[in-house]
Every structure is written in C-alpha cells, then in structure tokens.
Amino acid sequence: MKLLLVEDEKELTSSICKYLIRERYLIDSVSTYNEGRERILLFDYDCAIIDITLPGGSGLGLISLIKEKYLNTGIIIISARNSLKDKIIGLETGSDDYLTKPFFLSELNARIKSILRRRNFAGNKEIIVDEIKITLNDSQIHIYDKPLNLTRKEYELLLYFTANLNRVITKESIAEHLWGDSVDAADSFDFIYTHIKNLRKKIMDLGGKDHIHTLYGMGYKFITE
C-alpha cells in the first residue's frame, strides 16, 4: 500500500517513515504545503497522513485537493491541536481520522489499516474472492484452504487486484502502486510481467483459477466468477 506523509517535523517524519516501512508500506514524505500539493497532483495514494500546520499553507487545503481528485484515498490528520473545533473542521473537510500529537506509532498503523479495510474492502478483515481467502491482519492467503506463499510484492499485487476486481489496470499504475516514485527511472515495465506470471503460477499450482487476464495494449484485469 502506498502512503503520503506531509509533516514538517523532521524527527517525527523520520520515526513514522522508519516504522511504516518496517510494516511493509511504501511511503513518500514531504514537509511543505507546496510539496504535498505537487505529490497529490502527480501520484495516487491509498492513504495520506497530513499535518494541519505546514510551511506555505494549511493541510486542510491538501485534504480538499485530495477529495476533489481521489474519492478512495484515506486521510488521517495528525496535529498538535487537540480542540474539538479543530477535529470537527478536519473531519468535515473530508478526513477519515484525527490523531493528536504525540501518539504511538502502533496506533497510527492501526488507524491506517482500519481505513484501508474500510475503503478498499468494505471494512472486512478477510477478503474472499472465489477460491482465494486473504486474512488482512496477518497477511495469510489460502487457496481452497491450502496456504499460498507469496513474496512481499506478489502479496501487494494480489491485494491491488482484489481492490480493483474486474477493472482494467495499466502496467504503469501497477508499477507506481508497488514501487512508488522510483519506478520513473525504469527503462521498461517488463518486471511487472514477471511478478504477474509468478503470482498466476502460484495460484494455479494450488488448483486456483486463472484469474489474471492480459489485455494487450491496455493492461491486466483480475476476473472473478
């Protein structure tokens, strides 16, 4: 899952990034309003973590921009302000949650997971797609009750497909979602094909169906019955 952090406190930014990277998130971090605005206009994110008070502008403006562009992006406000008025304003602007500084990083992680489940998987802790069962809390996958062992990228790819069932997904969107901004330096997207081939083979080796369809010149679609 890909996150955006907009926070100007360097020590807090470093702590959040280190923790969430260990939790297997991709995370872009910026420290000013204008940098946040640029990232939001250029890239898609599953969840944005935004401070209200930023150099160059208010985080509330970034939240409004996200709501205009991405209806499915989760938003968490992190702020030193603890007043009820600020929380109401933040939630009315379109944020999903509000955390007052200081907070435990484990709590932030729990809030992120809750938002992603709610927005992408209707709040479910388990995703069941035909013969595939994914348990989100422990990242376990089963095919017809047989455990499926995936690499980190294969697991993230499967989640991305299940969040976009029966929709065409381009190679570019897959690459950006799984590898973040660093993918811009890639000469080609052939590595996407390798990951998809491996995921398809592992599912079918356990008796699963061939859900991943290639649409030449367009991308891929995860087909369900």
Side-chain angles (χ1 to χ4, degrees), residues 56-69:
S58 169
L60 296 177
L62 297 180
I63 293 171
S64 297
L65 182 61
I66 291 172
K67 299 307 292 185
E68 290 174 10
K69 188 182 177 191

Side-chain angles (χ1 to χ4, degrees), residues 90-156:
L91 294 172
E92 286 182 343
T93 304
S95 68
D96 297 278
D97 213 333
Y98 191 111
L99 269 177
T100 303
K101 301 176 187 177
F103 51 80
F104 291 106
L105 295 176
S106 57
E107 182 180 5
L108 173 61
N109 187 31
R111 304 281 184 102
I112 293 169
K113 288 183 176 180
S114 176
I115 288 172
L116 295 177
R117 282 199 304 266
R118 187 164 68 246
R119 286 189 169 269
N120 293 332
F121 306 113
N124 296 319
K125 295 183 179 180
E126 281 189 351
I127 306 166
I128 298 177
V129 179
D130 296 340
E131 76 282 7
I132 302 170
K133 182 172 76 172
I134 305 170
T135 308
L136 294 172
N137 285 346
D138 57 9
S139 303
Q140 297 295 310
I141 310 118
H142 289 81
I143 308 292
Y144 293 122
D145 295 326
K146 292 175 285 188
L148 174 65
N149 296 315
L150 300 178
T151 67
R152 173 181 171 182
K153 291 301 181 187
E154 290 164 358
Y155 174 75
E156 292 173 353

Side-chain angles (χ1 to χ4, degrees), residues 45-206:
Y45 295 96
D46 295 292
C47 186
I49 306 159
I50 299 175
D51 192 358
I52 293 179
T53 306
L54 296 167
S58 169
L60 296 177
L62 297 180
I63 293 171
S64 297
L65 182 61
I66 291 172
K67 299 307 292 185
E68 290 174 10
K69 188 182 177 191
Y70 310 112
L71 293 177
N72 207 40
T73 297
I75 301 170
I76 298 175
I77 290 175
I78 53 175
S79 176
R81 301 177 182 177
N82 193 26
S83 73
L84 178 60
K85 180 181 177 182
D86 287 325
K87 292 182 179 180
I88 291 174
I89 291 173
L91 294 172
E92 286 182 343
T93 304
S95 68
D96 297 278
D97 213 333
Y98 191 111
L99 269 177
T100 303
K101 301 176 187 177
F103 51 80
F104 291 106
L105 295 176
S106 57
E107 182 180 5
L108 173 61
N109 187 31
R111 304 281 184 102
I112 293 169
K113 288 183 176 180
S114 176
I115 288 172
L116 295 177
R117 282 199 304 266
R118 187 164 68 246
R119 286 189 169 269
N120 293 332
F121 306 113
N124 296 319
K125 295 183 179 180
E126 281 189 351
I127 306 166
I128 298 177
V129 179
D130 296 340
E131 76 282 7
I132 302 170
K133 182 172 76 172
I134 305 170
T135 308
L136 294 172
N137 285 346
D138 57 9
S139 303
Q140 297 295 310
I141 310 118
H142 289 81
I143 308 292
Y144 293 122
D145 295 326
K146 292 175 285 188
L148 174 65
N149 296 315
L150 300 178
T151 67
R152 173 181 171 182
K153 291 301 181 187
E154 290 164 358
Y155 174 75
E156 292 173 353
L157 178 60
L158 179 59
L159 279 185
Y160 193 45
F161 275 129
T162 55
N164 294 275
L165 294 174
N166 300 308
R167 298 176 185 169
V168 178
I169 304 175
T170 65
K171 289 186 290 186
E172 290 81 3
S173 65
I174 292 173
E176 182 190 319
H177 187 84
L178 268 62
W179 281 271
D181 299 348
S182 60
V183 78
D184 292 340
D187 295 328
S188 73
F189 293 115
D190 291 345
F191 58 93
I192 297 293
Y193 170 75
T194 301
H195 284 282
I196 288 176
K197 181 182 71 174
N198 291 340
L199 175 61
R200 178 190 284 125
K201 182 177 186 302
K202 288 182 178 181
I203 291 174
M204 295 182 69
D205 282 350
L206 290 180

Side-chain angles (χ1 to χ4, degrees), residues 4 6 30 32-42 62 65:
L4 173 65
V6 189
V30 295
T32 69
Y33 175 88
N34 289 333
E35 289 173 327
R37 186 177 188 278
E38 181 181 6
R39 293 295 175 121
I40 291 165
L41 291 175
L42 287 175
L62 297 180
L65 182 61

